[in-house]
Amino acid sequence: MSTAGPLGEFLRARRDLIGPSDVGLPAHGRRRVPGLRREELALLAGISADYYLRLEQGRDRRPSAQVLDALARALLLDAEGAAHLRRLGGQAPAGRPVRRPERVPVGIRQLVGSWARTPAFVHGRHLDVLFANPMATALTPIYRVGVNLLRAVFLDPSVPALYPAAEAVAANAVAGLRAQVGVEVDDPRLTELVEELSAGSERFRRLWARHDVAVRAGGGLRVFRHPVVGELELRYEKLTINGTSQSVVVYHAEPGSPSDRALARLNPAV
């Protein structure tokens, strides 16, 4: 990790992603680097250029809440990004619990295992699959216990063919991991995973360097290309498990749709 620390690295990464035209500034002169200049961002945030330089270089790591909020506005951060910035600046609880091996609660295992027609799995803090029912594994073999979803997305050459929107899946996975680990970027397990993926995937290095943060709780739509039953358009629901850093992901099809019929053909019990 550089001497800038998590706060400085985040500020630099987000500054590089904003052009003068994005914030109503004229783009005078030739620019040697992408994004805003430090003095431009400082001006937008209403702080001195010297103070901003100290923040980005890691020489001041505890700015006030007012400064962090001003920087969030200047950087055009959404609510999730602004909250992440406040955590990095020490203005929100970092939430650093003692890390123990992740175990799926018995009740959740029984519930997910009872869904004979519905693909569902549980992932942990670092996107490791901790439990999966047979329908989830039938949908795609990456949904099986022991697989790390990020490692699969970026290092398994067979995975991009599963998703027509593979780039969006990859970007969402990285942003979701950033949101999940929050300020704990020195987590040894995270460090090991990031080093492995950075060494093996230029696409991961590019996405990780953006410092995008996105909480993916809720639901959405995902399209799978299955080698046996063809294309499936499935909705997914992501449900957090109280008292843990784990989530249940459940897939389901529109009743009576072609995807619903294709999903039924995947049922290992049939």
Side-chain angles (χ1 to χ4, degrees), residues 25 38 64 74 82 98 106 109 117 119 136 143 168 173 186 188 211 249:
L25 293 177
R38 290 190 182 97
S64 68
V98 176
V106 173
R109 293 171 64 94
R117 292 174 46 86
Y143 296 156
D186 57 348
H211 285 250
V249 180

Side-chain angles (χ1 to χ4, degrees), residues 215-222 234-239 250 252:
V215 178
R216 295 294 164 188
L221 187 69
R222 183 153 295 166
L234 303 177
R235 295 202 63 81
Y236 67 89
E237 315 299 333
K238 186 169 183 178
L239 314 170
V250 186
H252 58 103

Side-chain angles (χ1 to χ4, degrees), residues 111-123 129-145 147 149 162-163 222 224-227 229 232 234-237 247-252 263-269:
L111 177 64
V112 172
S114 71
W115 292 334
R117 292 174 46 86
T118 305
F121 68 95
V122 180
H123 73 70
V129 178
L130 304 176
F131 184 78
N133 65 18
M135 277 294 286
T137 307
L139 178 63
T140 166
I142 72 171
Y143 296 156
R144 68 179 188 275
V145 175
V147 172
L149 297 176
L162 295 172
Y163 306 109
R222 183 153 295 166
F224 292 85
R225 290 194 187 106
H226 194 276
V229 301
L232 299 98
L234 303 177
R235 295 202 63 81
Y236 67 89
E237 315 299 333
S247 296
V248 179
V249 180
V250 186
Y251 287 101
H252 58 103
L263 198 58
R265 291 170 55 198
L266 286 179
N267 193 336

Side-chain angles (χ1 to χ4, degrees), residues 68-153:
L68 290 170
D69 288 344
L71 287 169
R73 290 191 295 271
L75 289 167
L76 307 180
L77 298 180
D78 59 16
E80 294 167 2
H84 184 67
L85 176 60
R86 286 192 291 271
R87 287 192 294 271
L88 292 177
Q91 293 298 331
R96 185 186 291 271
V98 176
R99 293 294 168 203
R100 298 181 177 87
E102 293 185 289
R103 292 185 174 86
V104 180
V106 173
I108 297 296
R109 293 171 64 94
Q110 293 174 344
L111 177 64
V112 172
S114 71
W115 292 334
R117 292 174 46 86
T118 305
F121 68 95
V122 180
H123 73 70
R125 172 178 171 77
H126 302 102
L127 303 186
D128 298 303
V129 178
L130 304 176
F131 184 78
N133 65 18
M135 277 294 286
T137 307
L139 178 63
T140 166
I142 72 171
Y143 296 156
R144 68 179 188 275
V145 175
V147 172
N148 179 270
L149 297 176
L150 269 179
R151 188 181 290 116
V153 166

Side-chain angles (χ1 to χ4, degrees), residues 28-46:
H28 294 318
R30 185 175 180 180
R31 291 176 178 262
R32 294 177 296 174
V33 295
L36 292 176
R37 298 186 175 106
R38 290 190 182 97
E39 58 270 22
E40 291 172 332
L41 183 57
L43 177 66
L44 290 168

